Amino acid sequence: MSTLALKVLCKSELDQNVEEQVQCEIEIHKNLIHPNIICLYSSFDDKVQICLVLELAPKGTLFDRVLEWCRVPEQMSSQYIAQITDALKYLHGKHIIYHNIDLENILVDVHGQVTLADFSYSTQTRNHQTTICSTTAYLAPECQGTHPD
């Protein structure tokens, strides 16, 4: 039996738009099966909270690893980039735009592989947004000044 992670969101702390965004995140994420995408096993909600049952990434975020290492070895960096690229290629093949690549949303699994997590800004291309959805610190230079944050 695997150890799982439970992401719990209290509805009282979410406005209506965020709650709808979480439901969209679940719809997109629930059908994704790829070794470099965190697995969403199940989700459920009640009047108080929304819960997502996820694969556990016991080594934390890539951000935590970078802080710990100070410098990521070139070999490891190239492996991580290849894994992330493979996950993005898979998503694009399913007409999903991830929109949220940052070190806090890249988790490290028990085998040291990276997995994409947090599909809260993801969209289906048929529902493509015209607004920019990203973490400001990782926003492309050409988008600076147009970000909603």
Side-chain angles (χ1 to χ4, degrees):
M1 178 90 183
S2 299
T3 304
L4 305 174
L6 185 64
K7 179 178 179 179
V8 179
L9 304 165
C10 295
K11 289 183 176 182
S12 64
E13 297 174 12
L14 306 175
D15 64 33
Q16 184 62 34
N17 290 339
V18 174
E19 192 171 332
E20 289 172 9
Q21 187 176 353
V22 171
Q23 293 304 329
C24 289
E25 171 184 0
I26 291 167
E27 270 309 301
I28 289 172
H29 196 168
K30 72 180 183 182
N31 295 313
L32 302 177
I33 300 171
H34 189 276
N36 301 111
I37 295 175
I38 204 79
C39 184
L40 173 65
Y41 292 109
S42 183
S43 65
F44 54 92
D45 68 306
D46 57 24
K47 292 179 182 179
V48 179
Q49 59 195 10
I50 302 170
C51 299
L52 284 70
V53 181
L54 300 159
E55 172 185 3
L56 180 67
K59 294 190 177 182
T61 68
L62 191 53
F63 181 80
D64 294 334
R65 301 288 63 83
V66 169
L67 287 178
E68 180 182 307
W69 298 326
C70 296
R71 181 177 174 187
V72 182
E74 187 175 334
Q75 170 96 16
M76 193 175 288
S77 294
S78 64
Q79 290 173 356
Y80 288 168
I81 291 167
Q83 291 168 15
I84 292 165
T85 301
D86 195 44
L88 292 173
K89 183 178 176 183
Y90 169 81
L91 291 172
H92 291 178
K94 292 192 160 286
H95 307 288
I96 296 168
I97 301 173
Y98 182 67
H99 285 297
N100 204 13
I101 296 176
D102 65 43
L103 296 178
E104 291 90 350
N105 292 332
I106 301 170
L107 304 179
V108 184
D109 73 10
V110 70
H111 305 291
Q113 291 201 122
V114 293
T115 57
L116 291 179
D118 190 356
F119 284 77
S120 59
Y121 290 123
S122 298
T123 56
Q124 293 279 328
T125 53
R126 64 180 176 269
N127 298 327
H128 182 62
Q129 300 172 344
T130 56
T131 57
I132 298 169
C133 302
S134 180
T135 304
T136 307
Y138 298 97
L139 193 60
E142 63 270 19
C143 297
Q144 297 291 331
T146 60
H147 194 269
D149 283 354

